[in-house]
């Protein structure tokens, strides 16, 4: 079990929550490699009251942490593994016209 990859160790209690266990049903990364969009088999958790809550995003950058996070998410998706996300507020940008719940950590089930 992978117990989580994070961008940093700071947790903001009022804007984060766990997603519950489910499967990634669709993954998309834009051509600039700046955003990961994930459809999920379970209801989308929206603790930050983001404008849109029909999928999760993870804003990416050129850091090692973003690269590792993307690799772990895609490996879990391709393997059909159940995952659970930790959601930390809303995206900084308006992806597909709205701010979205942003994934902070991922947990992978056996």
């Amino acid at each position: 079990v992978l117990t989580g990859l994070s961008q940093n160790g700071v947790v903001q209690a009022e804007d984060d929550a766990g997603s519950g266990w489910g499967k990634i049903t669709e993954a998309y990364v834009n051509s600039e490699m700046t955003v990961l969009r994930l459809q999920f088999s379970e209801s989308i958790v929206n603790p930050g009251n983001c404008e849109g809550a029909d999928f999760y995003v993870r804003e990416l950058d050129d850091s090692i942490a973003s690269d590792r996070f993307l690799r772990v998410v895609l490996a879990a998706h391709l393997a059909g593994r159940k995952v659970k996300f930790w959601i930390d507020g809303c995206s900084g940008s308006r992806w597909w016209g709205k701010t979205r719940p942003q994934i902070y950590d991922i947990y992978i089930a056996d």
Side-chain angles (χ1 to χ4, degrees):
V1 175
L2 181 63
T3 57
L5 295 174
S6 67
Q7 212 168 358
N8 60 47
V10 178
V11 175
Q12 299 172 0
E14 68 277 356
D15 286 341
D16 30 340
S19 69
W21 291 97
K23 290 190 176 187
I24 299 166
T25 59
E26 183 181 306
Y28 167 82
V29 179
N30 68 346
S31 61
E32 294 86 18
M33 299 287 291
T34 55
V35 66
L36 167 65
R37 172 182 166 160
L38 296 175
Q39 299 286 352
F40 197 52
S41 65
E42 300 301 310
S43 297
I44 301 298
V45 176
N46 188 11
N49 291 318
C50 309
E51 297 165 341
D54 45 343
F55 53 83
Y56 292 121
V57 300
R58 168 73 179 242
E59 293 172 319
L60 304 169
D61 55 32
D62 60 357
S63 70
I64 292 171
S66 276
D67 183 58
R68 287 181 181 163
F69 190 88
L70 179 59
R71 289 173 188 245
V72 169
V73 167
L74 293 178
H77 176 47
L78 292 172
R81 303 285 291 276
K82 282 193 171 186
V83 298
K84 178 179 181 178
F85 299 116
W86 193 253
I87 312 307
D88 186 21
C90 302
S91 59
S93 295
R94 299 177 112 200
W95 300 104
W96 294 271
K98 300 176 181 179
T99 60
R100 308 288 177 167
Q102 180 153 249
I103 301 167
Y104 181 78
D105 279 336
I106 181 173
Y107 302 83
I108 301 173
D110 287 335

